[in-house]
């Protein structure tokens, strides 16, 4: 591992951890890339595969998308393969769901994300990165929204209000938002700390202000997948990197430090 070793302590999330039982999240990235390569042999049209897996989590099944018997066979194979390959990263989902009240499940669909949906979101994130990466890189204006829970919890964060969201002031050497921001700026991407709840309004505003725009997200798996969908609906090419584990106060009774894979972020941007 690199000199970022100190920020990559393996952590368990409320529902998932990309470390699984290992020392880093590299195995996760190797596995999800291998899976997508395999699924694209069955369904070589990346956008078609993306539509299929986005609809797979919906009820009634495949609403609004015409599918063939071959599509349904592909989906069945995808679901079974994902379950076998990715369950190691989502070991805490069922315990979490068992502790959620019916009211909590109704009020917050993100908290109620099923294990199968986590697997489909993991696949979706990797597929979206492949489909939109070049378009994102060609965009005239590129910005990133980094989950606020990545702030270093030791000092009082010195971030300040920026023109679209909060901006890191780099007060703490090992803070992952500082490290991520430095890397993003190296690739011409404006980094912001995500605190805005109404992202749809933000994206529509930015779309009006810039003729060519790309978005990068760093967030927990369900939030990142939803953010990518919102970008695509708004006409903004998205890419993103999931948090290594979901540990913010929304998921746990209080916020705990988490991380993301900086090397994978750089691979995505090269
Ligand atoms: S380095 Fe940036 S994000 Fe991290 S605590 Fe300091 S100002 Fe906040």
């Amino acid at each position: 591992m690199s000199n970022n070793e100190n920020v990559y302590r393996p952590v368990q999330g409320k529902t998932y951890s990309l470390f699984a039982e290992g020392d880093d999240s590299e195995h996760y990235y190797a596995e999800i890339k291998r899976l997508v390569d395999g699924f694209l042999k069955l369904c070589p049209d990346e956008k078609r595969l993306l539509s299929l897996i986005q609809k797979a989590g919906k009820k009634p099944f495949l609403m609004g998308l015409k599918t063939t018997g071959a599509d349904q066979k592909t989906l069945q194979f995808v679901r079974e393969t994902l379950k076998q390959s990715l369950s190691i990263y989502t070991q805490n989902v069922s315990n979490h769901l068992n502790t959620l009240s019916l009211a909590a499940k109704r009020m917050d669909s993100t908290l109620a994300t099923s294990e199968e949906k986590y697997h489909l979101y993991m696949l979706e994130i990797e597929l979206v990165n492949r489909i939109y990466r070049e378009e994102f890189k060609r965009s005239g204006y590129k910005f990133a929204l980094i989950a606020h829970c990545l702030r270093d919890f030791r000092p009082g964060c010195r971030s300040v209000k920026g023109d679209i969201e909060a901006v890191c002031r780099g007060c703490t050497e090992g803070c992952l938002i500082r490290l991520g921001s430095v890397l993003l700026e190296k690739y011409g991407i404006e980094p912001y700390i995500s605190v805005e709840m109404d992202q749809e309004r933000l994206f529509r505003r930015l779309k009006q202000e810039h003729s060519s725009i790309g978005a990068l997200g760093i967030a927990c798996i369900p939030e990142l997948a939803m953010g990518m969908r919102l970008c695509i609906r708004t006409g903004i090419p998205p890419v993103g990197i999931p948090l290594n584990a979901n540990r913010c106060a929304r998921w746990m009774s209080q916020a705990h430090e988490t991380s993301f894979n900086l090397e994978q972020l750089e691979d995505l941007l090269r």
Side-chain angles (χ1 to χ4, degrees):
M1 196 178 286
S2 69
N3 56 2
N4 296 313
E5 198 163 4
N6 57 334
V7 297
Y8 282 155
R9 275 197 321 274
V11 285
Q12 286 300 316
K14 184 67 177 179
T15 55
Y16 79 90
S17 169
L18 302 188
F19 292 100
E21 285 147 15
D23 293 335
D24 62 39
S25 52
E26 289 298 329
H27 295 282
Y28 166 77
Y29 284 97
E31 184 64 358
I32 197 71
K33 287 175 206 299
R34 185 189 70 78
L35 288 166
V36 172
D37 288 344
F39 297 147
L40 284 172
K41 284 186 185 136
L42 282 175
C43 177
D45 181 339
E46 291 174 332
K47 287 197 172 172
R48 174 94 186 151
L49 181 60
L50 179 62
S51 295
L52 281 173
I53 61 167
Q54 285 176 337
K55 304 287 179 185
K58 289 197 171 172
K59 290 177 187 166
F61 183 59
L62 296 181
M63 186 173 58
L65 180 73
K66 281 190 182 164
T67 54
T68 62
D71 288 332
Q72 301 215 21
K73 267 192 177 169
T74 300
L75 267 178
Q76 187 60 25
F77 175 75
V78 166
R79 288 180 139 121
E80 285 165 8
T81 309
L82 291 178
K83 188 174 179 187
Q84 282 166 16
S85 307
L86 300 179
S87 294
I88 190 169
Y89 303 103
T90 53
Q91 293 180 54
N92 298 332
V93 176
S94 59
N95 278 348
H96 162 70
L97 292 178
N98 287 339
T99 62
L100 269 190
S101 67
L102 268 180
K105 283 180 184 167
R106 267 195 227 108
M107 277 172 60
D108 191 334
S109 59
T110 301
L111 284 183
T113 303
S114 68
E115 188 168 10
E116 183 179 81
K117 267 200 177 173
Y118 274 95
H119 300 160
L120 290 165
Y121 286 154
M122 289 167 163
L123 179 59
E124 182 170 341
I125 291 165
E126 173 62 20
L127 205 43
V128 167
N129 280 343
R130 292 193 189 198
I131 294 170
Y132 290 98
R133 182 179 174 200
E134 292 309 317
E135 197 182 339
F136 166 82
K137 283 161 77 172
R138 283 196 304 273
S139 302
Y141 172 69
K142 297 186 276 291
F143 72 102
L145 293 178
I146 308 173
H148 63 86
C149 53
L150 281 162
R151 273 185 283 207
D152 191 316
F153 280 75
R154 284 166 290 172
C157 173
R158 305 260 173 90
S159 61
V160 292
K161 197 173 181 315
D163 51 355
I164 66 170
E165 281 277 27
V167 178
C168 171
R169 296 289 299 278
C171 68
T172 304
E173 191 71 15
C175 173
L176 265 161
I177 291 190
R178 188 192 79 78
L179 294 167
S181 297
V182 169
L183 185 57
L184 291 161
E185 282 171 344
K186 179 176 146 189
Y187 288 91
I189 301 160
E190 286 189 13
Y192 294 94
I193 304 168
S194 178
V195 284
E196 167 78 55
M197 294 305 287
D198 192 346
Q199 289 194 337
E200 183 159 2
R201 196 173 61 177
L202 174 66
F203 292 170
R204 291 200 187 284
R205 193 194 100 198
L206 291 173
K207 187 87 175 116
Q208 282 179 345
E209 291 172 5
H210 302 273
S211 58
S212 162
I213 178 171
L216 185 148
I218 301 174
C220 72
I221 286 171
E223 295 287 348
L224 179 57
M226 290 301 105
M228 286 174 145
R229 288 185 188 186
L230 179 59
C231 282
I232 294 167
R233 281 203 304 278
T234 320
I236 298 175
V239 292
I241 293 284
L243 295 179
N244 283 333
N246 55 336
R247 289 159 58 83
C248 76
R250 184 183 186 191
W251 292 95
M252 299 185 159
S253 53
Q254 62 183 66
H256 298 274
E257 285 183 49
T258 186
S259 59
F260 69 96
N261 191 312
L262 274 165
E263 284 79 10
Q264 288 294 328
L265 175 61
E266 184 144 31
D267 278 355
L268 185 62
L269 301 177
R270 276 196 189 104

